[in-house]
Structures are given as structure tokens and as C-alpha cells.
Amino acid sequence: MSRTFDKRRGLITSGVVIFLLISLVAVTSRDRPQATWIERMVRDALVPLQSVLSNTTYGIAKNLAMFRELGRLRAENQALRAEVSRLQTANSHMEEYRRENQRWKLLLDFREESIHKLLAAQVVARDTSNWFSTLVINRGATDGVKKGMPVISDEGVVGQIRQVNPRSSVVLLILDSKSAVGGQIQESRDFVLVEGSADRLGNGEVKPLGPHIKLRKGDHVVTSGLGEFFPKGLPLGRIEQVTMGRFGLSAKGTLTPAVNFARLEEVFVITRASALLDEGTYPAYSGNRQPKDQPRGKSLPGKKSAPAASGQTAPAGPTPQASPTPQAGPTPQAGNNPPAGQQPVEQPAPGNGGGNN
Amino acid sequence: MHLVVIGLVLFISVILQATVLPHLQIFGIKPDLVSLVVVAFALFRGRYQGAAVGISGGLMIDFLRGDFLGLSALSKGIVGFLLGTMEERVFNDDFIIPVVTAFAGTLADQLLFLILGDAFGLDYPVWPGIFAIALPTALYTAMLMPLFYNRLYGLNRRLIKVSWEVRRKLF
């Protein structure tokens, strides 16, 4: 009798628990404007602990890597010296291009775009499962972070704010299978869509937005600025491989992201992309506005950094192939280079992300 | 006492999962430490406690993620319950079976997550989901089982011993 009762009680309890969990999943699987207060409270409460653990792990990983790499560093040092000398020469050429670019922008009558306002943040945690590519940063609503804001690093686009808590936020990486960002091929100016990949190899997918668009290996992809959130010209990555569809009609590119997500410690949230907010969207740049004497596809001064196309005077944001060293703007802290031309940068909060500077 | 200690073990696992384990990724895959704890305690304590540990650990993971709240709790709870039925058939101090069980349990958890998630709009491609995530995660997690199993087994025995002593003193 008592055994039957226990069995029945067990069944009822299991049924109730399963029903409650399914209801919870059903409610929270929709796109919610805001997390519940319990979620916000729990996540924020964990930020200091996660921050300490992340810092410790990063420190250990860095030291281990240093010992491993000592031998390699010597050879690399020699190579870098040669590279510096080459880059100095290249730099003077670039300066020429930059000046030429400015003149062209005046000619094209692009409005001078004010620089992005960045908020520095520390990565305190990553997704606990392998199904999602997200990370948690120590900046939240109290720092002015809002859902949808783009997140970048000194190398390129990291992702987009997915959820905001008072003192922390969840960032959906561009690698996540649910992510889709409007992109543009730097070389051909063609528009593409950059999506996350379902594999866990750290690559994205590039899909051309039109049948005439040809993807080529080595092409650099930047944000197109045509979407709702991302400003134009932020590096997304490089096309590593192009695969054709079954009947040779459609092509798909494999994107190697500009950002090394495995070593991501600090990021910047674009809290204000002025041109984007002022005008709602960037002026469409078709890539056809080239002088007649400039053959399409050839290196166009100012093309490398896409904000040039939207009228930004400062050397544009992070470029995939360029050094991450900023050409303008203050560094938020030692060893932490903000994307060039994108200032002011607010200092990352130590540990749990205190107030803004 | 049991509740607090097991809860603490789960909490530490979840925090390590979010902070330390991303640095131990192999081909983009990190082990599922929480699954490992769920499998171990399900084998030690049977289906109901296994399910409870699975639901608790899953909910902690879900809370940190923010999307699909309860999905990991469901998948891990079911796995905890199912593996808990093996409690009396598995020698708890054996070594091979926990590794195999960890593989099967984690794989089942990942597959349940994929299938149940699909019903709620997770929309993850099935084959990459199985071959690029579920299988590698299960394999990696099972490989770590020998490192943790003895410690968790010892902890469980100590908990039981302490509660027996408390009962003996009280009655």
C-alpha cells in the first residue's frame, strides 16, 4: 500500500517538475526584452567571482605560454625587426594613401562622421555549454549598455549584446549559429551575410547577397553598416575557403574571424555610433563610385578601411591585416589597444565593473 | 548537509565551466563538468537524487546563459534519473563503468538538449550538432571522469558516514 503510494507520489512529483521545466523553457526560449530579476541578480552576483577566476586562469595560461614560446620568440624577434623596417616603408606609403583618401572623401561629399563612443569591458565568463558561443562581460545597464549594441576588440567585431543585466551583459559572438551580420567584401565592395557556423572550429560562413557576387579566397570582409546595429567598416575576418553548391550555382565562404576569440580578455562596446544613430542607416556605398581611371578591384586608396567609405576622417577602426596598434586616441590601459580612430574609450572596470570614468 | 555540499560541488562545477574550462578547449569543445557530477551522483544515490542533482546543475547553467531556461535542467534531470536506475547494478568503486557511463550520460544529455531544444526553437543543425558537439563533448567529458570519480566517490562516502554518525548520536 505504502509502496504504491510512494510510486504514485514519485510519478506526480516527476510530472509536476517536468511540466514546470517545459513551461519555463517555453517562456524563456522566446526573444525576451529583459531577463527576470532573479536571473539578473544571480548573474551579477557571480561576476566578481568569475572575474577573479578568469583573471587567474588568464594569468596562468599566459605564463605557461611564455615558457613554451621562449625559443620561438628569439626567431620571431629577428623576423619582426625585418618586418618593422618593411612596415616603416609601407607606413609612409599608407600616409600618402590616407591623405589621398581624405581628398577623395571631400570630393564625394561624404559627411564627416563623428567617431564611435566605446566602453571598455572585461570578459568574465563564457558559455557553459558547447551549443552557444556567448561570453559575459562586466558592463551592464548601469554603464549604459543596451541590447543590440555591437561589441568589438582591437582586432575586429566580437559580437552583439544579447542580454543586459545591471552590472554585466551577455554577448552573442559572431561565431554563434544564431548570429548574422551584414558584411561587405573590402576588395570588391559586394555585400554578403556573415553567419555563425554550427561546427566548433571557430569559423563563420559568408553568404553572398546576390547571384552575381563572387567570393575569393583571401578577401577581407567588413561590416556593411546596412544593418540596424553595426557601424560600417569593422573587420569581420578573411575568407579562407570558398565552396560551391551542388549545382555550381551558389557559393559559400568560410570566414576566419579577425578576432582571436580564444584569447579574448577585453572588449569594447560601441555605445554610440554617431552616424548610425543620427541617420538611422549609413548612406549606401555601392562600390561603383570609383573614378573612371581606377579599375574595379584594384587597390583603392581608403578602401582598406571601410569607414572611409562612410566619410570618417580618422584612420578607421581595426583592420584585419593591419597591426592593432592605434593611430589615434588614448589607450585605456597598458597593453590594451583601442581600435584606431574610435574614441573616447571608457576604462574597463576593475573586477566587477564599477562606474564609468 | 548533503544538500549544501552537493549544491556547492555543482556551483563550483558551473563556475569552473564558465571560467576555466574554456581555456581547456580541444577543437572548440570543452568538457561538461556538470554532466560529470550528475552522472557520478546518479550512480551513487539513485534515480530521484540523480534527477534532483541533474535539475539543479542544469538550472544553474541555464541561469548563467539566460536563454532556454530549464532546457539543460530537463536534459540533465532526465539523464540523472535514468542513470540513477543503474545504482544497484553498478559497483561504485569500479573504474571502467563510470567512464562508459559518463560517455553515455553526457551523450544522452547533449542529444536530449538538441532534440528538446529543437522543439523550442534552438534550430541547431542536427548532424553538426551530433558529430561536432554532442559526440566530442561526451568523449572529452568521459576522459576526465577518472580524475574526478574517486574524489566524488570519497566525498559521497564521507557524507553518508557523517549523516550516520549524526543519526547515531541523536537516536
PDB file of all heavy atoms in Angstrom, chain B residues 29 40 71 81 85 101-102 105 108 129 133 160 163:
ATOM      1  N   ILE B  29      35.884  22.462 -28.329  1.00  0.00           N
ATOM      2  CA  ILE B  29      34.979  21.730 -27.436  1.00  0.00           C
ATOM      3  C   ILE B  29      35.547  21.722 -26.022  1.00  0.00           C
ATOM      4  O   ILE B  29      36.719  21.428 -25.811  1.00  0.00           O
ATOM      5  CB  ILE B  29      34.808  20.273 -27.929  1.00  0.00           C
ATOM      6  CG1 ILE B  29      34.082  20.242 -29.265  1.00  0.00           C
ATOM      7  CG2 ILE B  29      34.075  19.409 -26.902  1.00  0.00           C
ATOM      8  CD1 ILE B  29      32.630  20.677 -29.235  1.00  0.00           C
ATOM      9  N   ALA B  40      27.991  10.981 -11.782  1.00  0.00           N
ATOM     10  CA  ALA B  40      28.580  10.372 -10.585  1.00  0.00           C
ATOM     11  C   ALA B  40      27.551  10.256  -9.455  1.00  0.00           C
ATOM     12  O   ALA B  40      27.367   9.173  -8.882  1.00  0.00           O
ATOM     13  CB  ALA B  40      29.781  11.199 -10.135  1.00  0.00           C
ATOM     14  N   LEU B  71      16.101  24.190 -20.050  1.00  0.00           N
ATOM     15  CA  LEU B  71      16.411  23.160 -21.060  1.00  0.00           C
ATOM     16  C   LEU B  71      17.519  22.215 -20.576  1.00  0.00           C
ATOM     17  O   LEU B  71      17.381  20.992 -20.650  1.00  0.00           O
ATOM     18  CB  LEU B  71      16.815  23.837 -22.374  1.00  0.00           C
ATOM     19  CG  LEU B  71      16.919  22.949 -23.599  1.00  0.00           C
ATOM     20  CD1 LEU B  71      15.662  22.151 -23.828  1.00  0.00           C
ATOM     21  CD2 LEU B  71      17.228  23.785 -24.834  1.00  0.00           C
ATOM     22  N   PHE B  81      18.051  10.840 -13.745  1.00  0.00           N
ATOM     23  CA  PHE B  81      17.020   9.861 -13.368  1.00  0.00           C
ATOM     24  C   PHE B  81      17.326   8.490 -13.983  1.00  0.00           C
ATOM     25  O   PHE B  81      17.316   7.467 -13.300  1.00  0.00           O
ATOM     26  CB  PHE B  81      15.653  10.363 -13.842  1.00  0.00           C
ATOM     27  CG  PHE B  81      14.517   9.476 -13.431  1.00  0.00           C
ATOM     28  CD1 PHE B  81      13.913   9.641 -12.189  1.00  0.00           C
ATOM     29  CD2 PHE B  81      14.049   8.479 -14.271  1.00  0.00           C
ATOM     30  CE1 PHE B  81      12.869   8.830 -11.798  1.00  0.00           C
ATOM     31  CE2 PHE B  81      13.008   7.659 -13.885  1.00  0.00           C
ATOM     32  CZ  PHE B  81      12.409   7.835 -12.640  1.00  0.00           C
ATOM     33  N   THR B  85      18.842   4.727 -12.125  1.00  0.00           N
ATOM     34  CA  THR B  85      18.243   3.379 -12.069  1.00  0.00           C
ATOM     35  C   THR B  85      19.324   2.296 -12.079  1.00  0.00           C
ATOM     36  O   THR B  85      19.067   1.146 -11.743  1.00  0.00           O
ATOM     37  CB  THR B  85      17.289   3.141 -13.263  1.00  0.00           C
ATOM     38  OG1 THR B  85      18.031   3.383 -14.454  1.00  0.00           O
ATOM     39  CG2 THR B  85      16.089   4.047 -13.220  1.00  0.00           C
ATOM     40  N   THR B 101      29.767   5.120 -18.459  1.00  0.00           N
ATOM     41  CA  THR B 101      28.508   5.778 -18.091  1.00  0.00           C
ATOM     42  C   THR B 101      28.592   7.287 -18.325  1.00  0.00           C
ATOM     43  O   THR B 101      27.624   7.902 -18.763  1.00  0.00           O
ATOM     44  CB  THR B 101      28.169   5.520 -16.609  1.00  0.00           C
ATOM     45  OG1 THR B 101      28.527   4.200 -16.286  1.00  0.00           O
ATOM     46  CG2 THR B 101      26.704   5.743 -16.330  1.00  0.00           C
ATOM     47  N   ALA B 102      29.762   7.858 -18.026  1.00  0.00           N
ATOM     48  CA  ALA B 102      29.928   9.305 -18.255  1.00  0.00           C
ATOM     49  C   ALA B 102      29.774   9.614 -19.734  1.00  0.00           C
ATOM     50  O   ALA B 102      29.142  10.610 -20.106  1.00  0.00           O
ATOM     51  CB  ALA B 102      31.295   9.757 -17.758  1.00  0.00           C
ATOM     52  N   GLY B 105      26.052   9.024 -20.565  1.00  0.00           N
ATOM     53  CA  GLY B 105      25.230  10.048 -19.903  1.00  0.00           C
ATOM     54  C   GLY B 105      25.376  11.412 -20.557  1.00  0.00           C
ATOM     55  O   GLY B 105      24.391  12.105 -20.823  1.00  0.00           O
ATOM     56  N   ALA B 108      23.810  11.338 -23.998  1.00  0.00           N
ATOM     57  CA  ALA B 108      22.351  11.397 -23.887  1.00  0.00           C
ATOM     58  C   ALA B 108      21.905  12.818 -23.528  1.00  0.00           C
ATOM     59  O   ALA B 108      20.934  13.343 -24.095  1.00  0.00           O
ATOM     60  CB  ALA B 108      21.877  10.413 -22.816  1.00  0.00           C
ATOM     61  N   GLY B 129      25.383  19.120 -35.000  1.00  0.00           N
ATOM     62  CA  GLY B 129      25.074  19.059 -33.569  1.00  0.00           C
ATOM     63  C   GLY B 129      25.542  17.751 -32.954  1.00  0.00           C
ATOM     64  O   GLY B 129      26.121  17.730 -31.868  1.00  0.00           O
ATOM     65  N   ILE B 133      29.452  18.465 -31.865  1.00  0.00           N
ATOM     66  CA  ILE B 133      29.294  18.898 -30.472  1.00  0.00           C
ATOM     67  C   ILE B 133      29.016  17.732 -29.529  1.00  0.00           C
ATOM     68  O   ILE B 133      29.791  17.478 -28.599  1.00  0.00           O
ATOM     69  CB  ILE B 133      28.185  19.969 -30.366  1.00  0.00           C
ATOM     70  CG1 ILE B 133      28.630  21.222 -31.135  1.00  0.00           C
ATOM     71  CG2 ILE B 133      27.931  20.321 -28.892  1.00  0.00           C
ATOM     72  CD1 ILE B 133      27.747  22.394 -30.987  1.00  0.00           C
ATOM     73  N   ILE B 160      27.801  10.255   3.667  1.00  0.00           N
ATOM     74  CA  ILE B 160      26.952   9.191   4.241  1.00  0.00           C
ATOM     75  C   ILE B 160      27.409   8.852   5.656  1.00  0.00           C
ATOM     76  O   ILE B 160      26.603   8.721   6.587  1.00  0.00           O
ATOM     77  CB  ILE B 160      26.991   7.937   3.333  1.00  0.00           C
ATOM     78  CG1 ILE B 160      26.312   8.255   2.004  1.00  0.00           C
ATOM     79  CG2 ILE B 160      26.310   6.749   3.998  1.00  0.00           C
ATOM     80  CD1 ILE B 160      26.513   7.219   0.927  1.00  0.00           C
ATOM     81  N   SER B 163      26.411  11.561   8.126  1.00  0.00           N
ATOM     82  CA  SER B 163      24.980  11.553   8.448  1.00  0.00           C
ATOM     83  C   SER B 163      24.617  10.360   9.337  1.00  0.00           C
ATOM     84  O   SER B 163      23.746  10.462  10.196  1.00  0.00           O
ATOM     85  CB  SER B 163      24.134  11.581   7.182  1.00  0.00           C
ATOM     86  OG  SER B 163      24.456  10.489   6.402  1.00  0.00           O
TER      87      SER B 163
END
